[in-house]
Amino acid sequence: MTIAPERPRLRPPAEKSPPPGPEHRRTTGSLRASDVYAVLGAAAASLALTWLLFARLLPFSGAVGFALVAYVLFLGLYAVLVSFDEDGPAVRDRIAGVLVRTFGLLLLTVLVFVVAFTLWEGREALVHLNFFTQDMSLAGPLEPLDVGGILHAVVGTLEQVGIALALTVPTGIVCAVFLTEVPGAFARLVRTVVEAMTALPSIVAGLFVYATVILGLGMERSGLAASLALSVMMLPIIIRAADVVIRLVPGTLREASYAMGSSRWRTVWHVVLPTARSGLTTAVILGTARGVGETSPVLLTAGFTAELNALPTSGAQVSLPLATFELVKSPEPNMIARGFGTAAVLMLLVLLLFVLARIAGGRGPGQLTKRQERRRAEASRRDAARADRSAPASPRSTP
């Protein structure tokens, strides 16, 4: 007796799963309603207790003392409220978070206050067009604000900072590459000297240039001498920051470049520096911020003048920080308004320089400009055409 083979069972067709939709970002924050209630309750209780201490129990007074006592009480009460629901590590984490946010808010408040106060005090001078197009050669202490300006200080600052950057940026980056790519005893010595020079007082840098360049070499006080003094201050900042950034480049990128037969300098030029471009831009910004607001080195090496001097190699030349210092010292209200207006222009100029530097070097690794993308596309087309020409012709098919 033969048994017929069992027929395969037909399975119903599987239902097509819908295409996956866009992935939604999950919230990783742990903020709960109890946390908000703890913060609000601790704040209200601390204010009430501080008012009770200052107004009823103790002979305390003053806004600063009230704020400090209220903040200390807030931390203690907040820790107590959080401890009802959390354990020890969580309580310490919440306290640390409150401290970090408080300090950040405090620094932001101080920054906003400084900027707003400077703009408010200099508003009377900033509304005049001559403030940006004239110098102070014809403006005395009693002259109205529609006479005189800070053109000479703007030109002096741009020239001095520009010359200082032209000297320090290539020198600092080359030195940072040397410290990173050529390790040894001499590199450790140079790194130690650079770290010690980062805390160099500005007056010492001005005295150094004044003694060596002006007194020793016979150069007159000029914008070039001021640029040398600013370079002494900016160079260690750029070297130190660029050294830290270059050391963060992964070693696998260097190893891959060496494996392809590239030399050390080609690896540094085409792999290391492009990878660390945004960090190097930050290093230049830090160096510029150190040198653009200095007063004493410029006063020692460039002197002071109320006239426009666009030639940095000869004659006294003033900068925006030095002009602010000299104008604010005057007891006249118009001169003080000019001083605050000069400080406001200095802040705007620094902001503009930082924005330009960030635009120029803020692209990440692998991000190309429009011109570089066009050049890469043209190179790809040339390579494809050369590959087509060098490919052997296919044999003709026989019938």
Side-chain angles (χ1 to χ4, degrees):
M1 181 178 180
T2 60
I3 301 176
E6 184 179 359
R7 295 180 179 180
R9 297 179 179 179
L10 298 178
R11 297 180 179 179
E15 297 180 359
K16 295 182 179 181
S17 59
E23 184 179 358
H24 297 283
R25 179 178 298 179
R26 293 183 298 175
T27 303
T28 58
S30 58
L31 183 63
R32 298 171 299 179
S34 59
D35 300 331
V36 178
Y37 297 152
V39 171
L40 296 178
S46 63
L47 290 176
L49 289 176
T50 306
W51 176 84
L52 183 63
L53 291 176
F54 273 68
R56 302 298 181 184
L57 300 179
L58 298 176
F60 293 161
S61 62
V64 177
F66 187 92
L68 291 177
V69 173
Y71 185 72
V72 173
L73 291 176
F74 167 76
L75 292 178
L77 294 173
Y78 181 70
V80 172
L81 293 177
V82 173
S83 63
F84 292 155
D85 299 328
E86 305 289 347
D87 53 358
V91 173
R92 290 191 292 270
D93 178 73
R94 300 296 174 82
I95 296 299
V98 169
L99 290 173
V100 170
R101 289 178 175 85
T102 302
F103 291 148
L105 181 61
L106 180 62
L107 292 177
L108 180 61
T109 303
V110 172
L111 177 61
V112 171
F113 174 76
V114 171
V115 174
F117 180 78
T118 303
L119 294 175
W120 178 259
E121 293 292 331
R123 68 189 186 282
E124 297 180 357
L126 293 173
V127 297
H128 296 278
L129 181 61
N130 59 278
F131 186 72
F132 305 96
T133 59
Q134 298 179 6
D135 56 16
M136 293 294 293
S137 59
L138 301 178
L142 301 179
E143 293 290 340
L145 293 176
D146 56 357
V147 178
I150 58 170
L151 179 62
H152 59 307
V154 174
V155 173
T157 298
L158 292 177
E159 291 184 351
Q160 294 170 14
V161 175
I163 295 175
L165 287 175
L167 295 175
T168 56
V169 170
T171 308
I173 294 179
V174 168
C175 184
V177 170
F178 165 75
L179 295 178
T180 306
E181 303 295 331
V182 189
F186 184 67
R188 289 193 296 269
L189 176 62
V190 174
R191 182 176 285 111
T192 302
V193 174
V194 169
E195 292 178 353
M197 288 184 62
T198 53
L200 184 69
S202 58
I203 189 67
V204 176
L207 289 174
F208 170 75
V209 174
Y210 180 80
T212 56
V213 177
I214 296 178
L215 297 182
L217 301 180
M219 179 185 293
E220 62 176 331
R221 290 186 175 184
S222 59
L224 180 60
S227 301
L228 296 177
L230 296 179
S231 300
V232 174
M233 300 176 55
M234 297 166 55
L235 185 60
I237 302 296
I238 295 178
I239 294 175
R240 188 72 181 91
D243 178 30
V244 173
V245 170
I246 293 176
R247 281 191 291 177
L248 294 178
V249 177
T252 53
L253 297 179
R254 297 183 177 90
E255 295 172 1
S257 179
Y258 294 149
M260 295 179 65
S262 299
S263 59
R264 174 175 292 180
W265 74 268
R266 288 183 65 88
T267 300
V268 170
W269 184 257
H270 294 284
V271 176
V272 176
L273 294 182
T275 304
R277 178 172 52 237
S278 59
L280 296 176
T281 304
T282 304
V284 174
I285 289 175
L286 292 176
T288 305
R290 176 67 190 276
V292 74
E294 292 297 334
T295 302
S296 55
V298 180
L299 181 60
L300 288 173
T301 56
F304 180 81
T305 180
E307 299 179 358
L308 174 63
N309 181 17
L311 188 62
T313 57
S314 64
Q317 191 179 61
V318 72
S319 63
L320 285 173
L322 182 57
T324 303
F325 175 73
E326 294 292 339
L327 291 172
V328 171
K329 288 194 309 181
S330 175
E332 297 297 329
N334 289 341
M335 299 296 285
I336 295 176
R338 291 190 180 99
F340 279 100
T342 306
V345 172
L346 176 61
M347 291 190 301
L348 296 177
L349 179 61
V350 171
L351 177 62
L352 178 61
L353 293 176
F354 286 178
V355 170
L356 293 178
R358 181 58 62 186
I359 293 175
R363 297 185 304 274
Q367 296 182 358
L368 305 179
T369 61
K370 298 296 184 181
R371 182 179 179 183
Q372 291 173 341
E373 291 178 356
R374 289 194 298 267
R375 292 173 58 184
R376 185 178 63 175
E378 293 175 359
S380 299
R381 287 193 292 268
R382 290 196 299 268
D383 294 340
R386 184 168 59 252
D388 293 339
R389 289 194 300 268
S390 60
S394 58
R396 297 181 179 180
S397 58
T398 57

